[in-house]
Amino acid sequence: MILGSANDMADDTQAQAPAADDEVLEAPVRGSADELLDAGAQAPIDAMRHSTAHVMAEAVLALFPDARLGIGPAVENGFYYDFDLPRPLTPDDLAAIEARMAESVRADHPFVRREVGFDAGRATEAEAGQAFKVEILDDLARKAADTGEPMPPVTFYEHGPFRDLCKGPHVASTGKIGPFRLLSVAGAYWRGDEKRPMLQRIYGTVWETQEQLDQYLWRREEAKKRDHRRLGRELDLFSFHDVSPGSAFWHPKGQRLWRTLETAIREVQDRREYTEVSTPMVVSQRLWEASGHWALYKENMFLIESEGQTFSLKPMNCPESTIIYKTHLRSYRDLPLRLSEFGRLHRNERSGTLSGLTRVRQFIQDDGHIYVRPDQLADEIAALLGEVDEVYGWFGLRPELKFGTKPDKALGDPALWDRAEALIREALDRAGLPWTLKPKDGAFYAPKIDIHIEDALGRSWQTATIQVDLTMLPERFDLTYIDEAGQAVRPMAIHRAIYGSLERFIGILVEHFGGAFPLWLAPVQAVVIPIADRHAPAARELAAELRAAGVRFVEVDDSDSRMQNKIRLAQGQKVPYMLILGDREVEARSAAVRKRGAGKNDPQEVLPWSELAWRLGEEIREKRLG
RNA sequence: GCCGACAUAGCUCAGCGGUAGAGCAGCUGUUUCGUAAACAGCAGGUCCUCGGUUCAAAUCCGAGUGUCGGCUCCA
C-alpha cells in the first residue's frame, strides 16, 4: 500500500502543481491572522506585486462600492486579491478594472503608511463595513490576549482614495508599478476554509518591464502547447470520455509508452530481486476494515454490492500484499522480501479535482512492498534511492527529495520513529543526493521520502515515494518472521513507488519532452518515407530490418502523398527519425536520415540499412536522450 | 464537493431567434513526385442531454452531465 502515493502523492503537491496553462499561483499561507496580513512581500518585486493588488482593490471598490475585501498578497509571478461582490465578475469587468488601475498608476499616488491604535483601526474597518478585515483584527486581539502581550498597533497603507489594513511594504507610489495584466477570476474560500464564504479571487501578473511581462505571457502560451491533454490528442496517445470521468482511454500509441515504461522498470526490479505479484481488484469491506481504510478512506472508495456483501475497487494495494506475506511462515533469511505489483487502483476523487492524467480516478501504480528486518532498513532505503536515481536519469529528470518526519498525529512508539528517521537521514546522506527537510510531513504511521521532479518548465511535481512503515502493515496485520533465536519478530515494511502513478508520470513525461520523446520511449520511433510507389517495397524491407534490430515501432508511410507532406506529418507527430528512400537509396540499400527537428541547412547523413539498424538499436538500448 | 466559464463535423473554430458553415483531417479520382501542405470532387452534424419560453431555439431561460480555471479535499 502506498499511502500517499500516486494520486495522494500528487495531491500533496496540488498547491505547487500548476494549472494546465502553466500558471503557478500559490495559495496564501493559511492560518493565523498574522499570516493573512503578511502580503508575501519580501523581495522588491513582491512589494510591487502586492502594491498592484492594492491598486486592483482600489479599482474594484470604485466599480463595486459595496465590495468587501479579503486578502491580496503577492504570489509567484504576480498577485491576487479576494473580494466578496454582489455578482459574478465577467471578462468585461476585468477589462474595466484594468482600465481603472491604469488610471491610478498614471496618477502616481504615493503609498502612505499610517499607524493607529488598535481600537481606532478596528473602528475604521468596522465603519467601512469590511467584515473580513475586522475578523483579522479580532483574531490578532484574541491572540494578544491569549499570550498576554500588549495590543499591537495597526498599520494601514493609503494611496489616493484607497486605504487597506496592511503590513506592507509597498513601492513609493503607484507610478512605480510596472506593466501588468489581469489573468483570471476564480472562487476561493475565505481563509481557505470550505465552510466559510466563497470569495471571488482575481489573479494578475506584474513585471518590472514590458519585456518581462511579454516573456511571461509567452511562457504561458508555450506551456499550453505542451499541455499533456493537448499533446495527448494531437499525438493520439489517450482520450477522456464522459462515460468514465477521470479515467483515461489509452490509444495504441499511448499504450506503447506504458509498455516501454513497464518493461524498463521491470528490468530494474528483476535485477533488484523483486518478485512480482498481482492481487484482486474487487475486495471485501472486511479487508478495508482491518487495514483502517474503511474508517478513514471510505469516501474515496468505489463500492460494489453483491449477494449481501460489500466490496470495493481497491484504492491501494498494500493490505493485499500482507495477505501474500502471510501465506508462509517467514524466516529472517527470507528478508528483505520485495513484492512488486502493477496495481490498477480506483479512487473516487471529488469531481472538481479531476484534471487530465495528473489527477485521475483510475491509475496504475508501479507499487512495491518491501518487508525488512530492522537492521536491513538503511541499506534498503539507500538501494531504493539508487533506483530512483537510475530511473529518473533515463528521462533527464533530477529527482528532488523531501524528507517528511513525524507528524503531530502519529501512531506507534516514539522511539521507533526516532530510529526510523535517523536511518532515513543516514541513507539520504549516504546517497549523496540533495534533499530538503519537511518537518512533520510524514505519514501518520511512518516517516517518508517523497520524490519531486521538475519538468522542462521548472514546475515541481510529486511522483514517487518511499515510506517506512513501522506500525501500520506490520501491526495491524500482525506480520511476523522467525528470527535466529526462533522468536516471532515484527518486520518493518517499506511502501515504495518509483514512477508513482503511470498515468501521472506519462502526463509529466509528455510535458517534459513536449511530446518529442527520446528514441527509446517514442511510440513511433521511425517513419520510412518512400518517395514514389516503386520505393515502397524497399521501405517495408527496411522497416522489417529495423524491427529485427530492436526498433520496435517503425511505420512506413506508403500513402500517395508527396514526400514533403509525409515529412510534415512525421514532424508534426514528433517522430525521432524520418528515413527517406528514393532511387539512389534503394539502389545502394541505404536511407537518407532526417532527424526530428532538423532544419533545411542541417547536414544529413545517408546510411546503409545495416548501419542504421545498428545505430538506432544502440540508441535505444542505451536509452540515449538524443 | 464549492465558485465561475465553456460544450456546434474526427480536430481547430465561425454562426448567437428565421432552412447549420469554413479550414484541416476522411473518402474517391487524377498525380509518382528528392527534404515541413500536389490537384479535383464527394461525404460528414440529435449544434452535450432533458425540460421550458416562442409562430419559430444551435441561438433565450432552467436543470443535469462533462471539460477548463481556481478553491477545498487528498492514508
Side-chain angles (χ1 to χ4, degrees), chain A residues 372-417:
Chain A
V372 295
R373 307 191 306 253
D375 63 288
Q376 295 170 324
L377 186 70
D379 282 346
E380 194 60 31
I381 294 170
L384 288 171
L385 290 171
E387 286 180 24
V388 171
D389 200 38
E390 177 184 355
V391 171
Y392 285 47
W394 298 340
F395 311 102
L397 296 168
R398 243 193 14 266
E400 202 182 303
L401 309 183
K402 310 218 171 175
F403 172 24
T405 56
K406 181 171 175 289
D408 291 331
K409 238 180 75 182
L411 293 179
D413 181 353
L416 278 179
W417 276 89

Side-chain angles (χ1 to χ4, degrees), chain A residues 526-604:
Chain A
V527 174
V528 186
I529 298 178
I531 289 177
D533 285 350
R534 64 179 176 280
H535 308 124
R540 283 188 279 272
E541 276 186 67
L542 171 55
E545 184 160 342
L546 289 172
R547 288 187 198 106
V551 190
R552 294 179 299 167
F553 307 129
V554 183
E555 293 181 354
V556 175
D557 186 348
D558 56 3
S559 67
D560 68 351
S561 301
R562 298 174 64 200
M563 175 196 64
Q564 282 85 339
N565 194 38
K566 294 176 183 179
I567 289 172
R568 179 169 173 273
L569 277 175
Q571 197 70 249
Q573 288 294 300
K574 303 177 196 284
V575 177
Y577 286 96
M578 284 155 263
L579 308 172
I580 295 159
L581 261 53
D583 289 335
R584 295 196 296 270
E585 288 79 11
V586 170
E587 173 74 18
R589 293 184 75 78
S590 65
V593 181
R594 183 186 168 116
K595 293 189 79 164
R596 173 178 58 203
K600 272 201 180 73
N601 301 319
D602 290 320
Q604 196 171 43

Side-chain angles (χ1 to χ4, degrees), chain A residues 347-368:
Chain A
R347 298 183 185 174
N348 197 358
E349 305 288 351
R350 287 158 77 162
S351 57
T353 64
L354 301 176
S355 179
L357 289 176
T358 49
R359 185 74 182 260
V360 291
R361 284 187 173 146
Q362 176 196 253
F363 55 95
I364 294 174
Q365 193 177 58
D366 63 324
D367 208 351

Side-chain angles (χ1 to χ4, degrees), chain A residues 48-122:
Chain A
M48 184 176 80
R49 287 176 171 153
H50 178 53
S51 297
T52 314
H54 273 225
V55 170
M56 179 167 76
E58 173 206 345
V60 168
L61 225 39
L63 294 165
F64 301 91
D66 295 336
R68 287 193 297 171
L69 307 184
I71 57 170
V75 292
E76 191 172 357
N77 298 324
F79 59 91
Y80 67 79
Y81 212 118
D82 289 343
F83 305 96
D84 185 28
L85 296 171
R87 65 167 174 84
L89 291 168
T90 66
D92 287 345
D93 292 326
L94 282 197
I97 292 164
E98 265 188 6
R100 283 264 179 182
M101 291 170 69
E103 280 175 37
S104 181
V105 168
R106 224 175 296 121
D108 199 20
H109 301 299
F111 278 94
V112 181
R113 182 177 190 273
R114 295 205 195 288
E115 195 170 298
V116 301
F118 182 88
D119 292 336
R122 188 186 186 285

Side-chain angles (χ1 to χ4, degrees), chain A residues 82 327 610:
Chain A
D82 289 343
T327 54
S610 55

Side-chain angles (χ1 to χ4, degrees), chain A residues 1-2 262-280 314 317-318 320-322 324-325 330 336-344 364-371 380 384 387 494-499 502:
Chain A
M1 139 167 90
I2 300 287
E262 181 193 34
T263 301
I265 194 90
R266 274 209 171 106
E267 189 275 319
V268 172
Q269 288 173 352
D270 289 345
R271 177 156 31 90
R272 286 221 57 234
E273 298 184 78
Y274 284 77
T275 48
E276 191 168 323
V277 299
S278 180
T279 62
K314 65 177 171 183
N317 300 306
C318 34
E320 292 190 284
S321 162
T322 67
I324 291 178
Y325 182 97
R330 302 289 178 178
L337 178 67
R338 304 185 184 93
L339 301 179
S340 64
E341 173 166 17
F342 290 92
R344 184 180 290 251
I364 294 174
Q365 193 177 58
D366 63 324
D367 208 351
H369 302 93
I370 304 174
Y371 300 92
E380 194 60 31
L384 288 171
E387 286 180 24
I494 301 172
H495 311 243
R496 60 107 257 194
I498 304 298
Y499 296 138
L502 268 293

